[in-house]
Amino acid sequence: MAILTESEAKRILEKALSFSKADECEVNLGGGKSGNIRYARNTISTSGSQNSISLAIQSSFGKRTGNVTTNELTDDAIEKAVRRSEELARLAPENPEFVKNLGKQTYLTSKTHFESTAAITAEYRSKVAAAGITACKANGNLTAAGFFQNNEYFQSMANSSGVSAYQLGTNTEFNLTVRTNDGTGSGYVYRDVNDIAQFDAAVASQIAIEKALQSREPKAIEPGKYTVILEPSALVSDEGLLNQMMFNMDARSAEEGRSFLSKAGGKTKLGEKLIDERITIYSDPTHPDVPAQTWSGDGRPQEKTVWIEKGVVKNLFYSRYWAEKKGVKATPFPSNIIIDGGTASIEDLIKDTKRGILVSRLWYIRDVDPQTLLYTGLTRDGTFFIENGKIAHPIKNLRFNESPIIMLNNLEALGKPMRMLGNWIPPMKIRDFTFTSLSDAV
């Protein structure tokens, strides 16, 4: 029941709209089935699966809006939910930034669904866990803690002004941390794919294992400015430096003086060269390696959009309210982050480095100054000193203070990109990356 076909979803959406007595009505129907396995201390701790479906109804009278979500999809239940959203809309205060529903839209097609992933079973998930646990137990000195999840989902929406959209998708997420039993070494790996045929649990687990073994008994070095090689997992994460930069490319924040892209008098840095000309950043929901949903949450089409081209800021994203106020196109928030990079491997970047630091991962990243995008955070799960083109020894973790804007102006080289959290990111070699203190964290 959780995965509905396009025709099944459309029938429910049209049924909901048929009950509406509001000035405008928008309905979103989504659902999916997922499975997961979690392990720690070389033992599986959790194995679960879930089916879910929900229908979200938004009714509007003038500038008053009410929202209701239900997972009961009988005709009676849908009509009750629509009536309830209308009651709430009548009680709600007017929203001064209200915008009317979009009219009919045209969306791109993106291949986000793979039968290989939809067919994943609990047995497959147990083999993923075993790939890390078995290897760690065999070593006798390693402990694995990991998580693997697979999803098959659909998302659909419609409104009383003509919008109609449907997309089917699959994805997986895998992360593994391996610690050495002496408490001095740690390794990490993250992988996500739409097509499980592109994932090898044993190969991925071995990355975390080797990092853990190589990072044992790290030496302390003096904080300061160093050339660094940042792996993709050190550039993009839930709180990564590149994510933070993209999150802050909102036009309204820039025009209201609250952003690194702000200039005096409500002007912005749109059109100005901001970072190294070798950096071009764009989003594209049809990219074959990082396919994404082809519409935003409010129904705007997601298209290929260049945000930074050869270092120059080319686009900012707009809410529909702010775009209407400014009389410009309402470009939605990016569906993914894509930087094409070069062809060099991380090993190639190391060979070309006389003295520097290899950073596997950054975490616990926090704001210092939003006007300059200055952030602080820590290295983690494998930090290594490079001398004369080789890894010399592991080093203790370090706290950094750095801005992605300064970082991307100090670019020395780009490596071959790889997928990271639905984004396409190359490793980067950066000069004068600022480390401020040592950390005893492993």
Side-chain angles (χ1 to χ4, degrees):
M1 179 62 182
I3 301 296
L4 300 186
T5 64
E6 184 170 6
S7 60
E8 290 170 334
K10 188 174 183 180
R11 186 194 68 77
I12 293 172
L13 293 172
E14 290 180 345
K15 176 65 69 175
L17 292 176
S18 72
F19 291 133
S20 175
K21 298 177 181 177
D23 295 342
E24 293 188 318
C25 186
E26 178 183 292
V27 282
N28 280 272
L29 177 64
K33 57 181 182 180
S34 65
N36 65 77
I37 194 163
R38 184 184 301 277
Y39 47 110
R41 298 191 173 188
N42 288 341
T43 302
I44 292 173
S45 59
T46 310
S47 175
S49 63
Q50 178 180 338
N51 286 350
S52 64
I53 195 165
S54 68
L55 174 67
I57 301 158
Q58 177 176 288
S59 297
S60 301
F61 294 97
K63 294 185 177 182
R64 302 175 190 274
T65 297
N67 293 276
V68 165
T69 299
T70 181
N71 58 7
E72 292 186 56
L73 299 180
T74 64
D75 288 358
D76 285 348
I78 293 172
E79 184 172 14
K80 286 180 181 177
V82 171
R83 293 285 90 79
R84 182 59 176 158
S85 69
E86 292 171 349
E87 291 171 7
L88 293 172
R90 291 189 179 95
L91 292 169
E94 286 194 347
N95 177 5
E97 298 188 1
F98 176 85
V99 290
K100 289 183 173 293
N101 282 346
L102 287 168
K104 186 176 181 180
Q105 303 290 312
T106 301
Y107 302 112
L108 297 171
T109 299
S110 181
K111 182 170 175 51
T112 48
H113 183 268
F114 292 83
E115 289 297 334
S116 57
T117 306
I120 287 176
T121 62
E123 182 181 6
Y124 179 91
R125 292 190 289 273
S126 69
K127 289 179 178 177
V128 171
I133 292 171
T134 303
C136 286
K137 283 185 172 179
N139 180 280
N141 184 41
L142 298 173
T143 301
F147 181 74
F148 174 77
Q149 178 169 280
N150 59 280
N151 304 292
E152 183 185 20
Y153 62 90
F154 78 97
Q155 188 63 46
S156 59
M157 75 173 293
N159 70 25
S160 53
S161 301
V163 163
S164 178
Y166 175 88
Q167 191 161 335
L168 191 63
T170 54
N171 59 44
T172 63
E173 182 177 13
F174 169 76
N175 67 74
L176 171 64
T177 301
V178 174
R179 293 290 181 96
T180 58
N181 293 342
D182 64 2
T184 68
S186 179
Y188 173 82
V189 65
Y190 176 92
R191 293 289 183 268
D192 64 312
V193 294
N194 296 93
D195 178 6
I196 198 62
Q198 298 179 355
F199 173 69
D200 187 319
V203 171
S205 299
Q206 196 60 34
I207 293 171
I209 289 169
E210 290 176 3
K211 288 267 188 186
L213 291 171
Q214 293 168 0
S215 62
R216 288 173 296 180
E217 300 179 0
K219 299 177 181 178
I221 64 168
E222 287 295 321
K225 289 185 180 294
Y226 288 88
T227 292
V228 294
I229 296 172
L230 300 172
E231 297 191 16
S233 53
L235 291 162
V236 169
S237 64
D238 292 339
E239 52 188 21
L241 289 174
L242 291 183
N243 307 62
Q244 300 289 357
M245 186 180 75
M246 297 304 295
F247 292 159
N248 283 279
M249 292 191 70
D250 170 57
R252 183 174 186 175
S253 298
E255 291 167 2
E256 290 185 339
R258 298 181 281 115
S259 156
F260 75 105
L261 293 169
S262 300
K263 291 176 69 176
K267 297 180 180 178
T268 72
K269 296 179 182 176
L270 187 65
E272 293 187 8
K273 184 173 180 299
L274 198 66
I275 55 178
D276 189 285
E277 64 186 16
R278 287 169 290 178
I279 296 290
T280 292
I281 303 175
Y282 63 100
S283 55
D284 182 359
T286 67
H287 191 287
D289 293 301
V290 286
Q293 187 165 303
T294 55
W295 73 89
S296 64
D298 57 6
R300 283 179 282 174
Q302 288 282 14
E303 303 165 334
K304 181 175 180 178
T305 303
V306 177
W307 304 97
I308 294 177
E309 184 175 38
K310 296 181 179 179
V312 177
V313 181
K314 303 296 287 187
N315 277 294
L316 306 178
F317 56 87
Y318 282 80
S319 68
R320 289 188 57 221
Y321 164 75
W322 197 249
E324 192 172 288
K325 184 180 177 72
K326 296 294 180 179
V328 300
K329 181 180 178 181
T331 303
F333 186 83
S335 55
N336 47 27
I337 306 170
I338 301 168
I339 305 175
D340 284 333
T343 59
S345 66
I346 292 173
E347 289 72 25
D348 293 333
L349 296 177
I350 293 172
K351 286 178 184 175
D352 290 337
T353 303
K354 187 173 182 180
R355 186 172 184 271
I357 295 173
L358 173 65
V359 179
S360 302
R361 189 183 176 200
L362 300 177
W363 75 301
Y364 205 22
I365 298 171
R366 295 293 182 267
D367 295 341
V368 175
D369 178 9
Q371 293 287 350
T372 59
L373 281 193
L374 183 64
Y375 292 93
T376 188
L378 294 159
T379 64
R380 189 181 191 185
D381 298 321
T383 309
F384 304 93
F385 198 72
I386 302 168
E387 277 186 317
N388 299 320
K390 295 180 180 178
I391 298 291
H393 54 79
I395 57 174
K396 286 194 171 186
N397 285 307
L398 295 151
R399 172 168 291 281
F400 69 88
N401 272 23
E402 193 56 85
S403 160
I405 306 305
I406 295 172
M407 182 183 84
L408 294 176
N409 269 301
N410 289 337
L411 179 71
E412 289 204 349
L414 291 169
K416 185 179 180 181
M418 64 175 290
R419 177 168 170 147
M420 187 59 55
L421 280 92
N423 305 294
W424 194 239
I425 304 296
M428 295 184 184
K429 183 176 174 181
I430 307 289
R431 64 179 176 275
D432 293 336
F433 194 89
T434 306
F435 294 106
T436 55
S437 61
L438 281 172
S439 167
D440 287 328
V442 177

